[in-house]
Amino acid sequence: MDAVLGLDATGQARAVRDGQVSPLELVEAAIAAVEERDGGLNAVVHRRFERALDEARALGRARDGRADAPFRGVPILLKDLGWRQAGEPYHAGSRVREGIPVEEDGYGVRRLRAAGFVILGRTNTPEFGSTITTEPTAFGPTRNPYDPRYSAGGSSGGSAAAVAAGMTALATASDGGGSIRVPASFCGLVGLKPSRGRLSLGPNAGEGWNGLSCPGFVTRTVRDTAAALDVVAGFEPGDPYAAPPLPGPLAAEVGREPGRLRVGFVTRHPREGVPGEPEPAQAVLRAAALLESLGHDVAPGGPPALADPDFPHHFGVIVSDNIAAQVEAIGRLRGRPVEMEELEPRNQAMVAAGRARSAADHILAAQWIDAFRRRLVSWWRDGHDLLLMPSAGTAPFPLGWIPPDDPATGFARSAPVLAFTSPVNASGQPAVSLPLHRTASGLPVGVQLVAAPGREDVLVRVAAQIERAAPFEHAAMPR
């Protein structure tokens, strides 16, 4: 069973279809992997193993449409932020949500289950997903499978650690400022942030963080990322907007030649005062050389809008205002206000800042982001196809580097890490982190490719081309 569990989700699904393994056997093996490997990592904060086993048995007996489900019996973990499942706990990394029921599946979860995935449980996330490391007070830190002294990143750190450790082949994630790409970078995974509106956030929300946040996955292979996005992507009635249509299924783009593309790259953030680190820069230079060897036109340069010194302020306004609104909503749902002392210090600061601003301040910040978006995407009109940058402004950092009781230091250290990812959240463009580099001590460092709005198809073609040319070694998985 270790060999089957070591396959990616696409391979596991094929093994089920071919009769090599039953859904029940596959789910039992994944549960055993969680029980064996999670003790030192703390990636999975809620386990629904008995219900998962019952669902796997039912899938094994399926005679209805579920027998043809593309991922019948494949185990998956859900990030405990977004991705709500009816009847299951939902904490968003905080104890203040304790006891608030989830009454219906989110649309994404509904589509995952229809595709045959079996949900094993929920993964750790920082409180409200508001930082770049997964060390919530409520559930404790998630450790990096490559070195347990280090962070797995955030806010999808629990999902990334679980996949990197081989508990499941993929897990759901979400990204409001880098929360898919940073953990993917730190844990040696593929992490694609889709275009804004590609996946629905319904029925509980129309958009996340004024459109900055979107759901996605962390996986071990490009084909799994493509196939999983195919399962959950699509407009739902009532959604506030939709992403531009794709030419066809993303899974069909895997293996398709991308043609000769024009790629710009940056190794150091152009904004003054953003410090650079050698490992991310080295990763980008290696990736640039690889892309050039594959026949692409690669040259230094990126969107001038990245240098705007006012971006961090307006981005921070949007995020803190949304955190303040989320806390207000939780208080109403549970029937009593959330007191400041119930929150972690970082979120206390963000809620206080959000409450101190006027509605006009918020709208003006949102309008500033609208104008920034247009400036950023205008770079693609000059004929560029891709932008290559670091996935994170740093290599993986030790646990505790973002101090829980010192918000000012935490914000100051987070900003350079997110300098390459958060502008892409503001623009709504698709971007993927690929594991192409390691530090001398073996810690992964990802590189990020950004495409024009709506062009996940280009990202998948190039990512698959890179994967073939420089196969990703997932060294954290048990052999």
Side-chain angles (χ1 to χ4, degrees):
M1 282 305 300
D2 285 347
V4 175
L5 195 62
L7 298 173
D8 67 358
T10 303
Q12 290 177 7
R14 182 179 296 117
V16 171
R17 287 195 301 273
D18 292 347
Q20 298 175 29
V21 65
S22 71
L24 179 59
E25 290 170 330
L26 187 54
V27 169
E28 286 176 335
I31 288 172
V34 174
E35 291 178 330
E36 175 189 352
R37 302 168 193 174
D38 192 44
L41 298 180
N42 191 37
V44 183
V45 295
H46 170 62
R47 303 177 180 189
R48 59 183 305 273
F49 291 167
E50 290 304 318
R51 289 183 288 281
L53 290 168
D54 289 342
E55 291 164 9
R57 293 185 186 98
L59 286 167
R61 299 189 298 266
R63 296 292 183 269
D64 55 16
R66 292 185 302 168
D68 298 322
F71 286 97
R72 183 169 68 97
V74 174
I76 192 171
L77 289 161
L78 303 182
K79 180 180 179 179
D80 196 24
L81 182 65
W83 300 99
R84 303 181 193 215
Q85 184 177 12
E88 301 294 339
Y90 178 71
H91 294 96
S94 178
R95 292 295 184 191
V96 300
R97 285 198 53 90
E98 199 83 56
I100 299 175
V102 177
E103 297 180 350
E104 61 180 322
D105 288 348
Y107 291 152
V109 171
R110 188 182 303 173
R111 292 188 179 203
L112 288 174
R113 298 181 76 181
F117 282 108
V118 178
I119 298 165
L120 300 189
R122 304 187 68 82
T123 60
N124 205 9
T125 185
E127 188 176 64
F128 309 139
S130 61
T131 189
I132 58 171
T133 185
T134 302
E135 304 177 51
T137 300
F139 297 101
T142 292
R143 300 179 181 277
N144 193 312
Y146 285 82
D147 188 330
R149 298 170 298 175
Y150 284 78
S151 171
S155 63
S156 305
S159 287
V163 174
M167 298 179 207
T168 57
L170 79 173
T172 69
S174 57
D175 193 313
S179 289
I180 290 174
R181 291 156 289 163
V182 170
S185 176
F186 285 13
C187 293
L189 301 174
V190 179
L192 194 154
K193 182 197 85 68
S195 295
R196 181 171 302 165
R198 183 69 68 202
L199 282 66
S200 175
L201 294 176
N204 299 107
E207 61 179 5
W209 289 4
N210 286 63
L212 298 178
S213 182
C214 61
F217 298 88
V218 284
T219 72
R220 296 198 294 264
T221 63
V222 174
R223 69 177 186 174
D224 270 5
T225 287
L229 287 172
D230 283 338
V231 164
V232 298
F235 178 84
E236 292 279 358
D239 287 348
Y241 37 70
L246 292 165
L250 286 174
E253 304 294 344
V254 177
R256 183 170 292 172
E257 288 301 316
R260 189 180 185 93
L261 302 179
R262 186 180 175 196
V263 183
F265 72 90
V266 296
T267 57
R268 183 185 176 106
H269 203 281
R271 193 167 64 237
E272 290 186 11
V274 179
E277 289 201 9
E279 295 286 2
Q282 184 179 350
V284 168
L285 290 173
R286 291 182 62 182
L290 176 61
L291 285 166
E292 191 168 44
S293 74
L294 293 171
H296 302 295
D297 296 320
V298 183
L306 288 172
D308 196 312
D310 294 328
F311 173 78
H313 167 74
H314 294 287
F315 182 87
V317 168
I318 298 298
V319 174
S320 57
D321 287 359
N322 275 271
I323 296 293
Q326 183 176 1
V327 168
E328 178 68 21
I330 291 169
R332 296 182 186 186
L333 284 170
R334 72 180 195 174
R336 65 184 190 282
V338 176
E339 303 296 336
M340 279 292 195
E341 57 269 22
E342 295 182 83
L343 303 174
E344 296 180 19
R346 174 187 67 259
N347 287 315
Q348 292 180 23
M350 297 179 82
V351 169
R355 289 175 176 174
R357 271 189 291 271
S358 68
D361 292 334
H362 177 85
I363 291 171
L364 289 171
Q367 291 174 341
W368 191 96
I369 293 290
D370 287 340
F372 174 84
R373 178 185 311 121
R374 290 182 171 85
R375 287 189 285 131
L376 191 67
V377 302
S378 66
W379 184 73
W380 272 260
R381 297 176 192 155
D382 295 333
H384 287 92
D385 299 292
L386 293 172
L387 173 63
L388 171 65
M389 300 190 292
S391 297
T394 181
F397 47 76
L399 291 167
W401 185 70
I402 303 293
D405 298 324
D406 184 357
T409 298
F411 293 141
R413 289 181 174 176
S414 298
V417 179
L418 298 178
F420 299 96
T421 52
S422 55
V424 186
N425 292 84
S427 69
Q429 295 169 254
V432 64
S433 178
L434 301 174
L436 288 179
H437 181 71
R438 299 196 196 285
T439 67
S441 62
L443 292 170
V445 177
V447 297
Q448 177 184 200
L449 287 169
V450 185
R455 297 309 307 267
E456 287 95 328
D457 57 322
V458 175
L459 284 183
V460 167
R461 280 181 225 152
V462 174
Q465 183 187 43
I466 291 171
E467 186 180 45
R468 291 194 306 272
F472 309 150
E473 296 181 8
H474 303 287
M477 287 185 58
R479 298 301 182 190

